[in-house]
Amino acid sequence: MTTALRRLRNYIDGEFRDAADGRTTEVVNPATGEAYATAPLSAAADVDAAMAAAEAAFPAWRDLIPAERQKVLLKIADRFEERAEELIAAESENCGKPVALVRSEEIPPMVDQIRFFAGAARMLEGRSAGEYMDGFTSIIRREPVGVCAQVAPWNYPMMMAVWKFAPALAAGNTVVIKPSDTTPASTVLIADIIGSVLDELGHSRGVFNVICGDRETGRLMVEHKVPAMASITGSVRAGMQVAESASKDLKRVHLELGGKAPVVVFEDTDIAKAVEDISVAGYFNAGQDCTAATRVLVHESIHDEFVAALAKAASETKTGAVDDEDVLYGPLNNANQLKQVKGFIERLPAHAKIEAGGEQVGEKGYFFAPTVVSGLKQDDEIVQHEVFGPVITVQSFSDEKQAVEWANGVEYALASSVWTKDHARAMRMSRSLDFGCVWINTHIPLVAEMPHGGFKKSGYGKDLSAYGFDDYTRIKHVMTSLDG
C-alpha cells in the first residue's frame, strides 16, 4: 500500500493551478530520500499566465502611496508569525532541516526582514531638488522597475524568497517567483499567506505569483518579454546563463551566486573560541551556505593545535533527524548534491589528509559527516571550488601578505572573516580582502540593515539593507522651466 503524494500547485493571479499541460515532478524529502509531494513542471503557458497577472497588477500596486504598501508587508510579517509552525513544517520537509533550528534561526530573521522592508517602502529618497541651469529646476523621482522575475535557491528556500519579494514589493514592483524544483513547498505556502493578505486589504492577488518548475522554467521566465528585472540566487553557472539570457532585451539583472569564504586565523587568536565559532559557521545548514566558513587559513605557528581542536569539534558535531534537538544540521538537499560532496572527497590529492569525517552517514537520506581536511595547497580543487557541504579545509600560511594572497586567490568574493586581537591588523585585512563582507572575530551573522552581496563570480547587486531596496528601483530626472 502506497501513500498518496501531496499535490503542490502554482499560484497565479490569486488561484492555485496545475501546470497547463498537467506535467509534474516528484519532490523528495532529503532526510528520507523518499518523495512526499508532486509539483507542477511549468512551461511557457504557465509563465505567460503568471507574467500577464503580474503585469496587469503592476499599475495599481505601483501607484499606491508607500504607506499602503507598508501596511501589506507588515500584515504579511504578522501572518508569518501566526502561521510559523506551518512554515517550519514545510521547510523542514523541503530541506530535512532540524525543526528547532528553523524555528529559532529562520522564522525570527525572516519576520524582521519583511518588517525592515515595510519601513523602507516609505524611504524612497532622492537627492535634493535644485537649479543647475538658470531658469530650470531639477528633481529626482524614484520609481519601481516593473515586473520582477525571481528565482530562489534550495539551501534557504523560505528566507531567500523573503530576500527577493520583500524589497521588490516594498518598492512597488510585482513579482513572479520560482522556487527550486527540489524545494517548492514553503514558497507555495508563502503564496497562500501573501495572497490572503492582499485579498483582505483589497489589492490584486496578481501582485505576487509563484510558478514551480525546473531550469527550463527559469529560462522561460528570464527570457520573457514582460519582466523588467531578473533576480537569481544560485550557482555561478546559473548566474551566467541568466545574465546571458537577460542581455537579449537588456533586462536588469540581480545575481547572488557562489562563495568560497576565507577564514583567516592569526597566531594571537583565542583558538578555543575561534574553533567553536568557525565550526558552527562551517557546518550550519550542512555547509550549504554561500558564506559558510569552509576555507580556513591558519598561521603556521598554531596550525597543528588549531587542526586538532577543529577535528575534535567536528567529531562532536551531530547531524541527524529533524526532531532531534541536539543536531546542528540535517542532510544535504538532494542526491546530486550528495554526489558532488562525495566527489570532492574522493578526488582529494595524495598530500591532503582527512582529519575528521569524510563519509556519508546513515542508511537513508543524504546525510554527510562533519569533515575537516588539512594539508592542502592553494591550487587544489577543493580549495578553489565551492563544495557546498559540511567540509572545512585548512591551509597553513606564513605571514599576512601570503594570507591575503591566498584568501583573494579564488574566483569568488562574497564573504570572509579575520581572527586576531590586533586592531590595526584587522583594519588592514578588512581593506585588503576582496570580498563583499569582512567579519572580524566572528563569521556569518547577518542583519536586515546591512547589505549582503559580493564581487567577481559571486555576482552583483545587494540583498537586504537600503542598498538591496535601491536595486529594485529606477531613477528618473524631471526638469521644469521656471518661465511657466
Side-chain angles (χ1 to χ4, degrees):
M1 183 175 180
T2 59
T3 303
L5 301 181
R6 187 162 79 252
R7 183 172 67 171
L8 303 174
R9 290 173 157 184
N10 293 331
Y11 185 81
I12 299 173
D13 203 16
E15 296 180 352
F16 285 101
R17 309 181 188 178
D18 295 323
D21 61 9
R23 291 193 304 156
T24 63
T25 183
E26 288 191 344
V27 186
V28 173
N29 183 332
T32 64
E34 298 174 354
Y36 69 91
T38 62
L41 190 55
S42 300
D46 309 297
V47 174
D48 286 343
M51 293 301 174
E55 185 177 36
F58 174 64
W61 185 252
R62 173 198 62 200
D63 293 343
L64 283 176
I65 61 170
E68 292 300 314
R69 292 198 296 272
Q70 181 188 50
K71 288 180 183 178
V72 173
L73 285 161
L74 290 175
K75 178 69 77 172
I76 291 170
D78 291 345
R79 199 60 52 83
F80 266 55
E81 287 184 322
E82 293 164 10
R83 300 181 66 176
E85 292 306 313
E86 293 176 68
L87 289 165
I88 292 164
E91 193 73 337
S92 182
E93 197 166 34
N94 249 348
C95 307
K97 293 183 180 184
V99 167
L101 288 173
V102 178
R103 182 178 292 114
S104 65
E105 303 300 322
E106 297 199 31
I107 296 294
M110 286 193 302
V111 171
D112 179 67
Q113 289 152 8
I114 296 169
R115 288 178 176 148
F116 171 82
F117 285 112
R122 300 179 72 166
M123 294 294 289
L124 279 165
E125 297 177 338
R127 293 181 179 175
S128 299
E131 289 68 48
Y132 301 94
M133 180 182 290
D134 288 341
F136 297 89
T137 294
S138 289
I139 61 173
I140 297 295
R141 288 183 55 88
R142 290 274 298 282
E143 301 176 340
V145 297
V147 175
C148 297
Q150 302 182 319
V151 179
W154 48 251
N155 58 335
Y156 293 100
M158 282 198 305
M159 190 174 292
M160 296 302 98
V162 167
W163 286 20
K164 293 190 180 303
F165 80 71
L169 296 184
N173 303 285
T174 54
V175 165
V176 178
I177 189 168
K178 186 190 85 68
S180 168
D181 56 341
T182 67
T183 56
S186 57
T187 311
V188 171
L189 179 56
I190 287 172
D192 183 55
I193 291 172
I194 294 178
S196 67
V197 170
L198 290 168
D199 195 42
E200 287 173 22
L201 298 181
H203 303 294
S204 169
R205 288 178 288 180
V207 165
F208 182 81
N209 306 270
V210 172
I211 53 174
C212 303
D214 57 9
R215 290 178 182 173
E216 175 64 11
T217 311
R219 184 189 67 79
L220 291 169
M221 287 173 58
V222 173
E223 293 185 356
H224 200 277
K225 61 181 177 58
V226 166
M229 179 176 179
S231 171
I232 179 175
T233 299
S235 68
V236 173
R237 181 183 65 177
M240 289 179 170
Q241 290 171 344
V242 166
E244 182 179 2
S245 295
S247 70
K248 295 174 182 177
D249 58 359
L250 297 179
K251 283 185 179 69
R252 288 189 176 208
V253 179
H254 184 280
L255 303 174
E256 199 277 89
L257 309 176
K260 194 69 180 173
V263 180
V264 185
V265 182
F266 286 95
E267 66 277 9
D268 61 344
T269 300
D270 181 333
I271 294 176
K273 181 66 166 62
V275 165
E276 179 183 359
D277 291 353
I278 291 167
S279 61
V280 171
Y283 297 133
F284 187 81
N285 202 42
Q288 297 170 128
D289 191 313
C290 297
T291 63
T294 56
R295 182 167 64 104
V296 175
L297 307 172
V298 61
H299 191 268
E300 59 189 10
S301 65
I302 61 168
H303 174 270
D304 293 350
E305 182 182 358
F306 184 93
V307 168
L310 187 61
K312 183 175 184 294
S315 68
E316 295 171 351
T317 299
K318 287 183 63 178
T319 180
V322 299
D323 57 355
D324 186 343
E325 295 191 1
D326 292 330
V327 305
L328 178 65
Y329 67 88
L332 295 167
N333 181 261
N334 53 74
N336 286 338
Q337 189 59 25
L338 175 62
K339 181 179 178 181
Q340 175 170 307
V341 173
K342 282 182 171 180
F344 275 102
I345 300 300
E346 292 165 357
R347 295 189 299 273
L348 284 173
H351 54 262
K353 180 182 179 182
I354 298 175
E355 304 280 354
E359 70 281 332
Q360 185 175 354
V361 177
E363 297 180 357
K364 65 178 182 178
Y366 311 130
F367 296 90
F368 200 83
T371 300
V372 177
V373 182
S374 67
L376 293 163
K377 299 179 181 179
Q378 181 65 11
D379 59 355
D380 286 336
E381 178 197 30
I382 200 168
V383 169
Q384 290 295 317
H385 297 283
E386 188 173 36
V387 178
F388 224 55
V391 179
I392 297 177
T393 64
V394 185
Q395 296 167 261
S396 174
F397 69 85
S398 58
D399 56 31
E400 189 175 316
K401 179 181 178 182
Q402 187 178 63
V404 170
E405 179 184 349
W406 285 359
N408 291 339
V410 294
E411 293 184 327
Y412 304 92
L414 182 58
S416 59
S417 64
V418 179
W419 300 75
T420 181
K421 296 176 182 176
D422 185 332
H423 178 74
R425 173 192 279 158
M427 292 298 97
R428 290 194 303 271
M429 292 294 293
S430 66
R431 178 186 62 189
S432 299
L433 288 172
D434 188 20
F435 295 84
C437 175
V438 180
W439 286 292
I440 297 173
N441 295 325
T442 188
H443 194 107
I444 226 166
L446 295 169
V447 292
E449 294 86 351
M450 290 293 112
H452 175 84
F455 316 132
K456 294 159 62 173
K457 285 191 176 179
S458 289
Y460 44 81
K462 298 295 183 184
D463 289 312
L464 303 176
S465 78
Y467 299 98
F469 182 62
D470 287 348
D471 284 349
Y472 286 93
T473 68
R474 66 184 190 182
I475 306 300
K476 178 184 289 183
H477 171 219
V478 179
M479 194 177 210
T480 182
S481 171
L482 299 181
D483 291 343

